[in-house]
Amino acid sequence: MKKALLYMAYTVAYGFWWFVSLLPFSVLYALSDVLYLLISRVIRYRHRVIWHNLTTSFPEKTEAQLREIERKFYHWFCDYIVETVKLMTISKQQIMKRMTFTGTEKIEQLLAEGRSIGVYLGHLGNWEWITSLPYWLTNGLCCQLYHPLENEYFDRLFKYVRERQGAYCIPMQESLRKIIALGKAGKPVIVGYISDQTPFWWNIHHWLEFLHHDTPVLTGAERIIRHTNQVFVYGDVKRIKRGHYNCEFKVIRENTKHAKPFEITEEYFREMEQSIRRQPEIYLWSHNRWKRTRAIFNDHFEYIDGKVHLQKGKDMIW
């Protein structure tokens, strides 16, 4: 019974998403404007989290400047929602006009040489539209890591949308194995890693300074990149104007196998901080990025043989 209900919900969601995605951008952005008024003025969606993140990340800015960033963030965030809905049916011509890439010549050259590439990205701009990269490359297989949803039907729906443009979704827990298998098969890959999320307590292995915060960071992407010697590339995303983005590929390191531990991760966050400072309104400030602190971590956990363990007598926290 439960499975049947979930399937019905999936069918309704698929149909609604498909129908709305057929609307032209002019209508979608009109809907975005209405949504902006609703979530920023009425609901005040995650206002406390957004305001805390902005004020602590930019202590040098005035309140008026921060209010302007917050206002622009809400506008962009609503645009991101309708743009992602459009992804279900958007044409190749439309997406290539609106999501452009620069620096692809070097990427093509590396892939032609048989090198695999790891592209670090963040929750900046419209990261979902970057799945259109296969339209811009002739060599290699474009892949992205993702967390499968518990609901198999909705997981199928989101996976379908993300793979429509030719990108291949790799479940996070299978990432290293599949990337190694593709390499052994002689298939160079370009893998997108969105690595600015907050790690779970037991996945914290490194802290760094990021936007004036002592920040726990994910290091799994670096381990994969170093293990497979992928070329380390940063995808610098800019919003050109409403509904138009550019991702510039910057090759940071061609030889990553012998990089020092956490060196690649630190370089990535330095690049990310520059991108955010240039255009702060297109970063995902609604995410509670700094909810885990080093003081709480040190009080509850310890490192044993490089792994995180709960200290004796302590209760697990989330």
Side-chain angles (χ1 to χ4, degrees), residues 153-318:
Y153 296 112
F154 283 92
D155 181 63
R156 184 192 308 170
L157 173 59
F158 281 92
K159 189 169 179 285
Y160 165 75
V161 172
R162 287 171 173 165
E163 291 187 335
R164 264 198 79 236
Q165 323 298 329
Y168 173 52
C169 286
I170 299 177
M172 190 72 69
Q173 64 272 25
E174 302 174 22
S175 54
L176 182 58
R177 180 177 61 82
K178 289 209 169 187
I179 290 170
I180 290 175
L182 288 167
K184 288 182 177 179
K187 297 179 180 178
V189 295
I190 175 166
V191 185
Y193 303 94
I194 297 182
S195 298
D196 59 338
Q197 303 100 320
T198 303
F200 291 115
W201 290 108
W202 51 89
N203 282 335
I204 297 176
H205 298 280
H206 189 57
W207 300 75
L208 51 76
E209 186 74 11
F210 176 55
L211 291 169
H212 296 290
H213 295 85
D214 188 26
T215 306
V217 293
L218 290 170
T219 55
E222 176 180 316
R223 289 195 295 273
I224 295 172
I225 286 172
R226 291 175 61 202
H227 185 85
T228 57
N229 197 28
Q230 293 178 3
V231 177
F232 166 30
V233 173
Y234 175 66
D236 188 11
V237 177
K238 305 178 185 72
R239 192 189 198 197
I240 309 304
K241 60 181 180 179
R242 193 176 204 183
H244 293 261
Y245 302 86
N246 174 261
C247 177
E248 179 185 359
F249 292 121
K250 297 180 178 180
V251 177
I252 310 298
R253 285 174 177 259
E254 291 197 28
N255 187 354
T256 56
K257 201 168 189 68
H258 302 295
K260 296 177 182 178
F262 312 125
E263 195 170 24
I264 290 172
T265 300
E266 291 185 354
E267 289 172 335
Y268 158 61
F269 274 94
R270 283 198 294 271
E271 293 288 341
M272 266 291 295
E273 181 161 338
Q274 291 180 30
S275 298
I276 293 167
R277 289 189 177 279
R278 180 189 62 228
Q279 210 170 12
E281 66 273 12
I282 65 168
Y283 187 60
L284 192 61
W285 296 109
S286 54
H287 175 53
N288 195 0
R289 184 68 186 80
W290 293 285
K291 60 187 175 183
R292 298 192 173 96
T293 66
R294 195 191 295 251
I296 296 176
F297 179 85
N298 290 339
D299 187 57
H300 285 76
F301 301 91
E302 60 184 338
Y303 292 109
I304 302 176
D305 296 328
K307 295 183 178 180
V308 178
H309 294 266
L310 189 68
Q311 294 181 22
K312 290 183 179 179
K314 296 290 184 178
D315 294 326
M316 175 56 75
I317 55 176
W318 303 95

Side-chain angles (χ1 to χ4, degrees), residues 23-268:
L23 297 172
F25 272 104
S26 58
V27 176
L28 288 173
Y29 284 130
L31 291 174
S32 174
D33 291 339
V34 173
L35 186 61
Y36 161 76
L37 294 174
L38 179 65
I39 73 166
S40 68
R41 305 287 177 83
V42 181
I43 300 174
R44 290 175 65 79
Y45 171 72
R46 309 210 77 180
H47 168 72
R48 289 184 180 179
V49 171
I50 294 165
W51 188 246
H52 174 76
N53 285 342
L54 288 174
T55 54
T56 53
S57 296
F58 304 110
E60 73 282 2
K61 293 187 182 296
T62 66
E63 181 175 345
Q65 289 173 320
L66 294 171
R67 295 289 180 195
E68 179 68 5
I69 293 172
E70 182 186 42
R71 184 187 66 80
K72 289 182 176 179
F73 162 77
Y74 275 122
H75 268 298
W76 160 78
F77 182 68
C78 294
D79 283 355
Y80 160 78
I81 293 173
V82 300
E83 289 165 1
T84 302
V85 168
K86 187 66 175 177
L87 196 58
M88 176 174 273
T89 57
I90 194 170
S91 67
K92 177 180 178 180
Q93 292 73 23
Q94 273 193 316
I95 193 70
M96 290 188 73
K97 179 182 177 182
R98 291 174 173 273
M99 182 72 239
T100 60
F101 296 87
T102 52
T104 54
E105 299 83 2
K106 180 63 176 179
I107 301 299
E108 287 275 50
Q109 177 191 329
L110 290 165
L111 291 170
E113 292 170 358
R115 297 295 308 276
S116 286
I117 297 167
V119 179
Y120 269 101
L121 300 159
H123 288 91
L124 191 75
N126 194 321
W127 53 93
E128 299 290 355
W129 279 12
I130 293 177
T131 57
S132 63
L133 178 60
Y135 291 145
W136 294 78
L137 299 175
T138 56
N139 294 305
L141 174 66
C142 296
C143 308
Q144 56 185 315
L145 305 190
Y146 83 108
H147 286 287
L149 301 176
E150 290 185 16
N151 185 316
E152 63 174 303
Y153 296 112
F154 283 92
D155 181 63
R156 184 192 308 170
L157 173 59
F158 281 92
K159 189 169 179 285
Y160 165 75
V161 172
R162 287 171 173 165
E163 291 187 335
R164 264 198 79 236
Q165 323 298 329
Y168 173 52
C169 286
I170 299 177
M172 190 72 69
Q173 64 272 25
E174 302 174 22
S175 54
L176 182 58
R177 180 177 61 82
K178 289 209 169 187
I179 290 170
I180 290 175
L182 288 167
K184 288 182 177 179
K187 297 179 180 178
V189 295
I190 175 166
V191 185
Y193 303 94
I194 297 182
S195 298
D196 59 338
Q197 303 100 320
T198 303
F200 291 115
W201 290 108
W202 51 89
N203 282 335
I204 297 176
H205 298 280
H206 189 57
W207 300 75
L208 51 76
E209 186 74 11
F210 176 55
L211 291 169
H212 296 290
H213 295 85
D214 188 26
T215 306
V217 293
L218 290 170
T219 55
E222 176 180 316
R223 289 195 295 273
I224 295 172
I225 286 172
R226 291 175 61 202
H227 185 85
T228 57
N229 197 28
Q230 293 178 3
V231 177
F232 166 30
V233 173
Y234 175 66
D236 188 11
V237 177
K238 305 178 185 72
R239 192 189 198 197
I240 309 304
K241 60 181 180 179
R242 193 176 204 183
H244 293 261
Y245 302 86
N246 174 261
C247 177
E248 179 185 359
F249 292 121
K250 297 180 178 180
V251 177
I252 310 298
R253 285 174 177 259
E254 291 197 28
N255 187 354
T256 56
K257 201 168 189 68
H258 302 295
K260 296 177 182 178
F262 312 125
E263 195 170 24
I264 290 172
T265 300
E266 291 185 354
E267 289 172 335
Y268 158 61

